[in-house]
Structure formats: C-alpha cells, structure tokens
C-alpha cells in the first residue's frame, strides 16, 4: 500500500510542475500584451497631441488675425498673415515633438 502511494507522488508532482509551467507561460504572455498595449496607447497620445497642436496653432493665429483686422480695418490681410503664422507655429511644434519622441526611442 505504501508503495502505491509513493508511486503516485512523482506523477502528482509531475502534473503540478506541468501546470505551473503553463501558468507561468500564460503570465509572461499577458505581460507582453500589456507592454504592447501601453506602447500603442502612448503612440496614440503623441499623435493626438500633435494634431491638436497643429489645429490650435492655426486657430489661434486666425483669431488674432481676425481681431486685428477688425481693429485696423485691413480685412482680410492680417487674417491671412496670422493664419500662416499660426500654421507655421503648429508645424514647428509638431516637428519639435516628433524629434523629441524619436530621440527618446534611441
């Protein structure tokens, strides 16, 4: 009887070892997926930020140009000039952020 119990222990331990290996493997796979999701969401955040900076720069330039045109009566010249300046500022911010992100990756 005692030999029968001794023979079962190695099989039980072997089964336990296999289950532990499977559990560890699934945990590592989940960690890899979490890291990938985090990297993807960080990239989406950077892209969203760049888009917002471009739109806001252009919008603020347009508002300033429109207001100055109203004050000085030079419609539409200051609006055009400040739209171009705002767009240029937005592009400059996007390029600066892209270079910064690229340097952080290396």
């Amino acid at each position: 009887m005692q030999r029968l119990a001794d023979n079962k222990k190695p099989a039980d331990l072997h089964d336990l070892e296999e289950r532990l290996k499977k559990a560890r493997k699934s945990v590592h796979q989940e960690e890899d997926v979490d890291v990938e999701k985090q990297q993807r969401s960080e990239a989406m955040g950077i892209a969203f930020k760049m888009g917002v900076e471009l739109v806001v720069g252009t919008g603020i330039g347009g508002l300033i140009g429109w207001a100055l045109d109203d004050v000085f009566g030079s419609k539409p010249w200051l609006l055009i000039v400040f739209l171009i300046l705002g767009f240029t500022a937005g592009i400059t911010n996007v390029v600066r952020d892209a270079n910064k992100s690229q340097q952080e990756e290396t």
Side-chain angles (χ1 to χ4, degrees), residues 24-56:
R24 287 182 184 136
K25 188 175 182 181
S26 69
V27 167
H28 289 299
Q29 288 174 346
E30 288 175 7
E31 288 174 354
D32 292 342
V33 170
D34 289 342
V35 169
E36 184 179 323
K37 283 181 181 178
Q38 182 180 5
Q39 289 172 343
R40 196 176 303 146
S41 61
E42 287 175 1
M44 288 285 289
I46 291 170
F48 184 74
K49 176 185 172 192
M50 288 179 180
V52 167
E53 285 180 350
L54 183 61
V55 170
V56 168

Side-chain angles (χ1 to χ4, degrees), residues 60-73 75 78-79:
I60 290 177
L63 285 174
I64 292 171
W66 177 73
L68 290 176
D69 270 339
D70 224 21
V71 170
F72 296 118
K75 290 182 182 176
L78 290 177
L79 174 65

Side-chain angles (χ1 to χ4, degrees), residues 12 14-25:
D12 289 342
H14 181 69
D15 290 342
L16 178 62
E17 186 176 339
E18 290 299 317
R19 287 187 291 167
L20 283 173
K21 284 181 185 178
K22 287 180 185 177
R24 287 182 184 136
K25 188 175 182 181

